Amino acid sequence: MITLKSPREIEEMQKSGAILAGMHIGLRDIIKPGISSWEIEKFALKYYKEHDAIPEQIGFEGYKYATCVSVNDEICHGFPRKNLILKDGDLIKVDTVVNYHGAMSDSCWSYVVGKSTPEIDHLMKVTKDALYLGIEQAQVGNRIGDIGAAIQHFTEDENGYGDVREFIGHGIGPTMHESPNVPHYGEAGKGLRLRAGMTITIEPMINMGTWKAEMDDPNGWTARTADGSLSCQYEHTLAITNDGPKILTSQDPERDKKYLLK
């Protein structure tokens, strides 16, 4: 079922999103060579407790952690691990969901550990730009396919990367995953028409090689690129409004100026 949110509900989701964004901003000082990926989980748990927020992923279909910490060829749903020590050039994706007094927000961000490379920098830039191309299509009257078509054309046709099909965006609030599904591929002009009050995530997962994923990890959760290539992801929660899409998990008020609630 698709729920349309009132302006008050969207404002509450923005408060949740601000907490989530603040956690991601804090990780910029945490993620460095020599730490374990478990330190990311510890930081998130502490941050959410200090801000009276609940890490909503814990317990979702049996998942045990506040964060997904996926490294290099891990596309998504990587576990935070005490024995995984980060090193220069690792590409880290941190995905997490916050419940703040019943209001949900969901965001994934990518970080490079220590020294990067031109190849990693380009993959990260293309992935983030793809997210914003998708957001720009999230207009009242457009269709879900307009979002996916913009992302797929940019990432695959223009940049030669793989646009993951197996994992997609979704509606959010009052629960973590709701209708509608929001694929990051597709055909413009097709699919559900967007209406004011919808709240969705857009979260492209872009691989340096093939778009195909392998999902045979013994932990039952972690997905990897089928060819071992690097994968990158950025995700925002946003509201569809008559004044255009509004990002509820913004980390960059300058870049996001046109997408922020008044």
Side-chain angles (χ1 to χ4, degrees):
M1 184 175 72
I2 298 172
T3 60
L4 301 181
K5 313 303 186 300
S6 68
R8 183 193 63 79
E9 288 172 313
I10 291 170
E11 288 175 3
E12 291 302 306
M13 290 179 70
Q14 186 182 41
K15 294 176 185 177
S16 174
I19 295 171
L20 199 165
M23 193 284 298
H24 273 305
I25 290 169
L27 285 180
R28 299 173 191 175
D29 294 327
I30 299 297
I31 295 175
K32 59 187 67 176
I35 72 162
S36 74
S37 68
W38 185 252
E39 294 301 315
I40 296 171
E41 174 77 1
K42 285 173 57 179
F43 178 81
L45 285 169
K46 182 174 182 288
Y47 192 93
Y48 295 153
K49 184 177 181 180
E50 290 172 347
H51 289 80
D52 195 28
I54 297 170
E56 190 70 12
Q57 288 181 174
I58 296 177
F60 178 76
E61 296 183 355
Y63 193 76
K64 298 179 180 180
Y65 309 105
T67 61
C68 296
V69 183
S70 306
V71 182
N72 294 331
D73 67 328
E74 295 173 347
I75 297 172
C76 60
H77 303 158
F79 289 4
R81 287 150 279 183
K82 295 178 181 178
N83 62 353
L84 177 58
I85 305 303
L86 306 184
K87 62 184 186 302
D88 271 328
D90 281 341
L91 181 54
I92 313 297
K93 288 78 65 177
V94 181
D95 192 2
T96 184
V97 181
V98 166
N99 178 339
Y100 179 67
H101 300 179
M104 298 289 177
S105 60
D106 184 358
S107 179
C108 179
W109 218 249
S110 289
Y111 307 82
V112 65
V113 180
K115 297 178 182 177
S116 188
T117 67
E119 292 78 15
I120 293 173
D121 288 344
H122 189 255
L123 176 63
M124 294 175 76
K125 183 180 187 306
V126 168
T127 306
K128 186 184 287 187
D129 288 349
L131 167 64
Y132 279 85
L133 286 170
I135 290 171
E136 183 59 30
Q137 292 299 315
Q139 308 279 349
V140 171
N142 278 4
R143 295 185 179 273
I144 290 287
D146 296 323
I147 297 171
I151 291 171
Q152 184 177 17
H153 175 68
F154 179 67
T155 55
E156 293 193 338
D157 299 338
E158 294 187 14
N159 285 281
Y161 290 140
D163 180 6
V164 172
R165 313 286 200 271
E166 290 90 345
F167 303 95
I168 58 178
H170 52 86
I172 182 169
T175 60
M176 189 162 74
H177 284 173
E178 299 190 351
S179 297
N181 290 332
V182 186
H184 307 107
Y185 58 92
E187 187 176 347
K190 301 292 186 180
L192 182 76
R193 195 176 296 279
L194 299 174
R195 297 172 59 192
M198 288 181 176
T199 48
I200 64 172
T201 72
I202 299 178
E203 47 185 295
M205 304 173 199
I206 306 302
N207 302 338
M208 199 171 280
T210 179
W211 59 265
K212 295 180 180 179
E214 296 287 350
M215 291 172 283
D216 56 0
D217 192 284
N219 69 26
W221 282 91
T222 305
R224 291 180 169 81
T225 58
D227 58 2
S229 63
L230 292 177
S231 185
C232 186
Q233 183 188 7
Y234 289 96
E235 173 189 13
H236 274 313
T237 295
L238 57 141
I240 312 299
T241 79
N242 289 319
D243 191 34
K246 301 301 177 184
I247 295 172
L248 306 180
T249 48
S250 173
Q251 299 181 40
D252 186 347
E254 187 59 36
R255 176 169 187 166
D256 297 344
K257 187 181 302 183
K258 68 180 285 190
Y259 300 120
L260 299 180
L261 290 173
K262 297 277 192 304

